[in-house]
Amino acid sequence: PKAVAEKVMERVIEYAITHLLDFYGLYKELKTLDLSHCTGLTDYSVIEVVRSMPHLHTINLDGVVNITDESLLYIGRLCPNLKQLTLAGCSKITDDGVVEVASGCLELEEIVLDECSQLSDASIAFLINFDLTVRLKRLS
């Protein structure tokens, strides 16, 4: 019962986000998106949002516990102008997701990875060796 209710709620949120994005056109010019602690969001929701907002410079996903590397893959591919990304508490992301973001978001200046328990030293090593330290102003 609780698992079913959670799945239903996920689908309702996904449906609402998709239709809201279709209805409201001004959001396409947004530069900053703060979805912190929206615990009901899934990869699907995040991907739909990033697909619809090509000019984002800042994304805060602090505490969005259900997202995985799939969200980061799309952020890396669809947000080339991204400068700040907060992923603190996103416990399902891995080193692979961080590599995708770093490889695609070449304007990235700040990335917050606090409390991302699936990450290893490999993420930090990649960020250093990928030459991000030249432009990164904050790595947390």
Side-chain angles (χ1 to χ4, degrees), residues 11-25 27-28 44-45 48-49 52:
R11 297 299 170 253
V12 168
I13 291 169
E14 291 168 358
Y15 179 83
I17 285 174
T18 301
H19 285 76
L20 180 65
L21 293 173
D22 289 342
F23 178 75
Y24 187 66
Y27 67 88
K28 290 184 181 200
Y44 178 84
S45 303
E48 286 300 309
V49 168
S52 303

Side-chain angles (χ1 to χ4, degrees), residues 38-112:
C38 293
T39 56
L41 292 181
T42 62
D43 286 322
Y44 178 84
S45 303
V46 172
I47 291 165
E48 286 300 309
V49 168
V50 243
R51 272 190 181 144
S52 303
M53 299 179 181
H55 304 293
L56 287 172
H57 288 197
T58 302
I59 301 175
N60 185 346
L61 297 172
D62 181 5
V64 182
V65 296
N66 292 319
I67 64 166
T68 67
D69 291 343
E70 188 174 359
S71 289
L72 301 186
L73 172 71
Y74 280 88
I75 290 171
R77 290 182 180 172
L78 300 173
C79 299
N81 301 318
L82 193 67
K83 293 183 183 303
Q84 297 175 327
L85 179 61
T86 301
L87 298 168
C90 297
S91 56
K92 294 182 181 178
I93 64 168
T94 69
D95 296 330
D96 293 338
V98 172
V99 168
E100 289 293 337
V101 166
S103 300
C105 301
L106 299 178
E107 301 293 320
L108 196 64
E109 295 176 352
E110 178 178 326
I111 186 165
V112 179

